[in-house]
Amino acid sequence: MTGQELQERIAREVDANPDNTLQGRLRYYDHPLIGVAPAADPLFVQMKEADIAGDLFRLPQEWLPGAASVLVYYLPFSREVRSSNYAGSKASMEWLHARFRGEAFSNKLREMLIGLMEAQGEKALAPMLEESMVIDYQRLSSNWSERHAAYAAGLGTFSLNRGMITAKGMAGRFGSMITTLELEPTPRIYEDPFQNCPWMVDGSCGECMDRCPSGAITENGKDKRVCYEYLFVQDPLKKEREPFGYPYSACGKCQTAVPCESRIP
Ligand code: SF4
Ligand code: SF4
């Protein structure tokens, strides 16, 4: 099994699986990008030692002894989901559903990919589905980072708003798994971890600062605590989200109606 075959398999699910839609009407995701990093890539050790991915960060081999590859996919939100979020200071209902039901669909993709690899006699796991996955909301840190895995897997670079700008932009969701399956690594075609964000290169753009309703994004980057308080404490969509059982608000204003929404600026 190759990365290309896995990409085509995810694309088929995106096209045909009704769980990628809100009752057949709103489609959450378009076709994915796929990237692969060797599990032994020294970049993971550097991220851990330099505390770049957070001090809780666990290496691929610490998640899965014998790991050979880290597979990461990026699912861009559909144009309908993205454009629904352009107006107003609160997230649209389409964005809210895509955030939570779209992630439920992504969890099914993670399970499907694990099943495909296990059917080949390999081991595989998705940290986000593991009981040992830790997200420390006090320190806003976790023991696995899909964005950092995406960087290692050649999918894109970091940005002023602490997102990740891929060839299909940043308005979307990542998924990742660690496997004993040997997959061909994806070349990292960037030299700088912020290369795709004009602000980080030469101070141009910066449009995400004006888009943020909480003031979390400044010239110095994103204050994760301010964004967290907005989504979890201020909870601007509490009334709208509660009937659906979603655990907190969504936003995504810094990912939509900006030059990096669906492309590299
Ligand atoms: S809106 Fe501009 S400055 Fe902000 S992350 Fe995107 S490219 Fe970078
Ligand atoms: S998600 Fe919303 S509140 Fe958080 S940084 Fe982006 S625009 Fe600001």
Side-chain angles (χ1 to χ4, degrees):
M1 189 180 296
T2 64
Q4 177 69 27
E5 287 167 344
L6 291 168
Q7 183 162 8
E8 287 166 5
R9 189 62 214 272
I10 297 175
R12 285 211 298 276
E13 293 296 317
V14 162
D15 283 340
N17 192 324
D19 291 337
N20 186 33
T21 69
L22 184 66
Q23 290 147 4
R25 289 178 282 114
L26 176 73
R27 178 175 143 125
Y28 303 135
Y29 299 119
D30 287 337
H31 282 182
L33 296 172
I34 287 268
V36 174
D41 194 318
L43 198 55
F44 289 116
V45 176
Q46 289 166 21
M47 286 173 176
K48 185 180 173 91
E49 289 183 350
D51 200 9
I52 292 169
D55 60 347
L56 295 174
F57 187 73
R58 283 166 68 179
L59 297 171
Q61 291 90 349
E62 292 174 314
W63 282 99
L64 181 67
S69 310
V70 175
L71 172 80
V72 187
Y73 58 80
Y74 172 70
L75 291 165
F77 283 132
S78 68
R79 179 184 294 273
E80 193 179 356
V81 169
R82 289 185 277 113
S83 59
S84 74
N85 206 37
Y86 288 176
S89 62
K90 289 188 192 177
S92 66
M93 288 307 292
E94 289 90 340
W95 186 272
L96 182 69
H97 290 310
R99 163 67 185 82
F100 291 105
R101 295 197 184 180
E103 187 62 14
F105 169 67
S106 184
N107 279 339
K108 291 186 177 168
L109 289 180
R110 290 176 173 103
E111 287 167 359
M112 179 198 77
L113 293 170
I114 291 169
L116 288 173
M117 292 173 197
E118 288 179 345
Q120 298 219 334
E122 303 288 349
K123 292 182 185 154
L125 62 81
M128 300 306 283
L129 299 181
E130 292 292 301
E131 280 183 11
S132 57
M133 179 74 208
V134 173
I135 300 177
D136 183 334
Y137 286 106
Q138 287 300 314
R139 295 158 62 201
L140 297 177
S141 186
S142 59
N143 56 1
W144 182 247
S145 164
E146 294 197 308
R147 281 184 321 118
H148 287 81
Y151 176 76
L155 280 178
T157 76
F158 301 98
S159 53
L160 175 65
N161 59 6
R162 290 182 82 115
M164 162 128 318
I165 303 177
T166 74
K168 293 192 177 190
M170 71 155 56
R173 306 280 303 169
F174 288 100
S176 64
M177 53 210 45
I178 301 167
T179 175
T180 57
L181 180 66
E182 295 272 0
L183 291 164
E184 188 171 340
T186 306
R188 283 194 285 272
I189 56 170
Y190 30 80
E191 290 163 11
D192 183 286
F194 298 100
Q195 187 171 307
N196 293 346
C197 175
W199 176 273
M200 303 302 284
V201 174
D202 61 13
S204 61
C205 188
E207 294 186 24
C208 49
M209 286 188 269
D210 290 337
R211 290 281 294 157
C212 178
S214 73
I217 308 171
T218 67
E219 295 185 355
N220 300 321
K222 174 171 132 177
D223 186 325
K224 284 198 286 183
R225 175 65 56 190
V226 174
C227 177
Y228 170 84
E229 297 274 335
Y230 177 71
L231 296 176
F232 286 75
V233 182
Q234 189 173 334
D235 200 1
L237 292 176
K238 188 174 184 352
K239 188 161 59 73
E240 292 88 344
R241 71 168 176 80
E242 278 184 341
F244 299 100
Y246 302 150
Y248 50 87
S249 282
C251 175
K253 294 293 175 183
C254 56
Q255 300 172 26
T256 49
V258 288
C260 56
E261 173 189 305
S262 58
R263 63 183 175 87
I264 299 171

